[in-house]
Amino acid sequence: DIQVKDLCHNDCLPFQKQPITACLMNAAFISALGSSYLYGYNLSVVNAPAMFIKSMYNRTWMERYGQPASTETVTLLWSSTVSIFAIGGLLGTLCVSSMVKALGRKGTLLLNNCFAVIAAVLLSLGETAGSFEMLLVGRLIMGVDSGIALCALPMYLGEISPRNIRGSIGQFNSILICLGVFTGQVLGLPQLLGQVGSKWPFLFAFLAVPALIQLCVLPFFPESPRYLLMERRDEAAAEKAFQRFLGKKDVSKELEEVYAEGHAQSNLQVVSVPQLIRNPAVRWQLITVIITMACYQLCGLNAIWYYTNGILAEAGFAGNIIPYITLSTGAVETLAAIVSGLVIERIGRRPLLIFGFSTMAVCFGFLTVFLNLQDRVSWFPYLSYVCILAVIACFCSGPGGIPFVLTGELFEQSYRPAAFMIAGLVNWLSNFAVGLLFPFIQAALQTYAFLVFAGVCILGAAYLYTVLPETKNKTFVEISRSFAKINKVPVQSPGDARELELQGELSLAIQPGQGSPKGKVTEMESSF
């Protein structure tokens, strides 16, 4: 018989080394609810009311200029409404480095909610005011909100999480994105708000709800203890933050880990993007993040979300059932993200990424075959639908959330804001490129368009198989050693690392007017 006390010492259990408290889980959920959830919701919410928004544009144009808008004008206004979201995301990403430095991780997330509330007001009142400019500006501001959130949130979650559950907590980001997409699909159903004429502005008014929840609740949670200790030099506040997150009074080991993390860096000051790019010690970490984030967007899933209705119609499904089929894709995405969060600490980041991209390539290949042969075999449209579901599930099993977790794990504290800025820029530029280029690719290649995405997935999987080491449950020193050879920098010996860690605690802990740190330095290892 296996007793509970034996299980608690079994290394295969993901949570055996750190207590998991309600404070940590609630902070992760609330922060993801007000940030990633809104990003996912905005990806799907504009699809259902598209016809009514175009009609509003035409009516407003008629009232202003006395003649109906041309088809080209309405198309330009609508495409601008969709694509300006990505431009806003790009602008938000450019702001995030200075914001997290000045306001902290939690402070940035709190301020970011103001953008979401302002955007919700503009988008929901645009029809009443007869102003399509309000919709355009609202979508731009909502993009800024999402750009900031997709950088600040993974940073916050990674820094408050014990390293042995860092991946699972980080997957809250992906799960809430999927849940946001699913909610947008549900509310956009014809029986709800999707095709009920004047009620479509309520779809955008709903944006304020998660933001207000986070704005009210997140102030009661602590700031990132690593930010407090390494950038603010506030040991007392960092100790209290660790105690609240971990639910225990003795957090000396956690503080020592941060001391060691601090001194192992070559620079304790937050570095800029040019400094990060020029540093040879993190060159391949940066290349890995760029390629992973580019594949995250260019692997084809956004093309499926943007043009799901057209793809399903081409696959032979009737128009009146397509909204419900689309709803099932959102449910599968959410379920796959939850499963990935449960297994990431057992399987690891690297296998999930390689498996996800590889199986997506296979599914895209089958989808191309079934789309080409669906006129010959009556039941092939159903196989096309199964392939779409499989692509979504494979994406959310790894590539859908791990790139954000990986960005925090591959870089030290001082490099992390700049790394997230670069990752965010790649993310939004790739997002914009897919939305802009996929219609032309589809027009040129027809049913063979998905082979382009299959090629991207194969190249991404091959690169990750060749370069990326496993980061599961590893300290930042171990991850740095994994990249040392390919970066052509000296590999630090364990004895040298130990000496640096001891010096690091002293250099970080001793402040003007303070004595030496209390207690004997014990085993130290970073959470990143």
Side-chain angles (χ1 to χ4, degrees):
D1 292 338
I2 301 177
Q3 309 240 343
V4 173
K5 63 181 181 180
D6 298 322
L7 286 175
C8 291
H9 293 284
N10 192 334
D11 286 341
C12 73
L13 294 178
F15 303 148
Q16 79 278 7
K17 293 183 180 178
Q18 295 278 3
I20 309 305
T21 68
C23 181
L24 176 59
M25 300 301 290
N26 289 338
F29 180 79
I30 293 297
S31 56
L33 175 65
S35 303
S36 298
Y37 179 85
L38 289 178
Y39 169 70
Y41 184 79
N42 275 281
L43 290 179
S44 61
V45 72
V46 295
N47 294 331
M51 183 188 307
F52 299 104
I53 295 176
K54 292 178 182 178
S55 176
M56 181 273 243
Y57 286 166
N58 194 40
R59 186 172 61 253
T60 302
W61 193 276
M62 183 73 176
E63 292 172 355
R64 289 186 184 181
Y65 305 109
Q67 60 182 6
S70 64
T71 304
E72 292 79 10
T73 301
V74 174
T75 303
L76 177 62
L77 287 172
W78 170 246
S79 61
S80 299
T81 304
V82 175
S83 60
I84 203 170
F85 178 72
I87 296 174
L90 198 63
L91 295 176
T93 301
L94 293 173
C95 300
V96 75
S97 180
S98 56
M99 290 181 67
V100 296
K101 180 180 178 181
L103 304 174
R105 282 54 165 159
K106 189 186 81 169
T108 299
L109 291 173
L110 285 172
L111 178 62
N112 199 33
N113 290 299
C114 299
F115 293 115
V117 173
I118 293 171
V121 172
L122 291 173
L123 290 166
S124 59
L125 297 180
E127 185 188 37
T128 304
S131 172
F132 52 77
E133 293 89 351
M134 289 178 66
L135 268 69
L136 290 170
V137 175
R139 286 282 290 176
L140 177 68
I141 295 175
M142 200 63 237
V144 172
D145 172 270
S146 297
I148 295 172
L150 289 183
C151 293
L153 174 63
M155 213 180 300
Y156 181 63
L157 295 182
E159 292 179 5
I160 68 176
S161 306
R163 64 183 177 87
N164 56 310
I165 59 164
R166 190 173 57 230
S168 296
I169 296 295
Q171 282 296 84
F172 270 100
N173 185 46
S174 176
I175 292 170
L176 268 294
I177 288 176
C178 298
L179 189 60
V181 171
F182 183 63
T183 305
Q185 293 172 339
V186 172
L187 295 180
L189 287 174
Q191 290 80 2
L192 296 178
L193 302 176
Q195 295 183 11
V196 195
S198 61
K199 290 188 177 181
W200 64 263
F202 289 103
L203 283 170
F204 296 112
F206 184 75
L207 290 168
V209 176
L212 290 174
I213 291 175
Q214 187 187 84
L215 202 57
C216 294
V217 178
L218 193 59
F220 296 98
F221 293 102
E223 176 59 88
S224 161
R226 284 171 177 77
Y227 168 80
L228 291 171
L229 186 57
M230 298 181 68
E231 297 185 33
R232 292 297 185 189
R233 302 291 195 272
D234 190 343
E235 183 176 355
E239 183 177 7
K240 290 180 180 178
F242 269 129
Q243 289 171 343
R244 289 194 61 192
F245 279 129
L246 301 180
K248 61 180 183 179
K249 291 185 178 180
D250 183 11
V251 292
S252 56
K253 181 178 179 181
E254 285 73 19
L255 292 173
E256 290 164 359
E257 291 177 359
V258 182
Y259 291 143
E261 180 181 351
H263 188 78
Q265 302 177 44
S266 58
N267 186 358
L268 291 178
Q269 300 298 319
V270 176
V271 304
S272 64
V273 171
Q275 289 173 320
L276 175 63
I277 294 174
R278 291 195 299 265
N279 191 334
V282 292
R283 181 164 297 155
W284 279 96
Q285 290 95 312
L286 183 61
I287 293 172
T288 299
V289 166
I290 290 173
I291 291 178
T292 306
M293 196 61 72
C295 291
Y296 166 76
Q297 289 290 354
L298 299 178
C299 66
L301 193 82
N302 278 347
I304 288 181
W305 284 132
Y306 289 151
Y307 305 100
T308 300
N309 292 357
I311 293 170
L312 293 175
E314 187 178 344
F317 289 94
N320 60 333
I321 67 170
I322 284 180
Y324 305 98
I325 298 175
T326 304
L327 188 63
S328 68
T329 62
V332 168
E333 182 183 33
T334 305
L335 180 61
I338 293 173
V339 172
S340 176
L342 294 174
V343 303
I344 186 172
E345 296 298 347
R346 292 178 177 270
I347 298 177
R349 287 72 156 146
R350 184 173 180 269
L352 286 176
L353 281 172
I354 296 172
F355 169 80
F357 283 127
S358 302
T359 50
M360 283 181 72
V362 173
C363 293
F364 276 132
F366 280 117
L367 178 60
T368 302
V369 172
F370 296 141
L371 288 176
N372 276 281
L373 299 179
Q374 65 184 8
D375 293 333
R376 303 180 187 179
V377 183
S378 60
W379 45 272
F380 267 19
Y382 299 99
L383 293 181
S384 300
Y385 169 59
V386 170
C387 286
I388 290 175
L389 294 180
V391 167
I392 293 170
C394 294
F395 175 82
C396 294
S397 67
I402 294 178
F404 297 99
V405 177
L406 210 60
T407 304
E409 291 182 326
L410 297 186
F411 293 93
E412 302 166 347
Q413 183 84 8
S414 60
Y415 294 110
R416 205 166 290 133
F420 270 103
M421 179 183 289
I422 294 175
L425 289 174
V426 174
N427 176 31
W428 288 103
L429 288 174
S430 302
N431 184 316
F432 184 77
V434 171
L436 181 67
L437 299 178
F438 181 71
F440 300 100
I441 296 173
Q442 191 177 35
L445 300 178
Q446 298 297 322
T447 54
Y448 295 98
F450 291 104
L451 293 180
V452 176
F453 299 123
V456 172
C457 292
I458 292 172
L459 292 175
Y463 174 85
L464 294 171
Y465 180 82
T466 305
V467 175
L468 181 67
E470 179 54 63
T471 62
K472 177 186 70 173
N473 205 22
K474 284 187 177 181
T475 68
F476 83 103
V477 174
E478 294 168 333
I479 295 172
S480 297
R481 287 175 184 164
S482 300
F483 280 97
K485 184 176 181 180
I486 192 171
N487 283 326
K488 297 181 180 179
V489 295
V491 180
Q492 200 177 63
S493 69
D496 293 338
R498 174 64 176 168
E499 182 179 354
L500 285 175
E501 288 173 355
L502 292 171
Q503 295 172 1
E505 176 171 302
L506 293 173
S507 64
L508 270 174
I510 298 176
Q511 302 295 330
Q514 296 180 359
S516 59
K518 297 179 181 181
K520 182 180 179 180
V521 180
T522 57
E523 177 189 1
M524 291 183 286
E525 55 187 3
S526 169
S527 290
F528 285 90

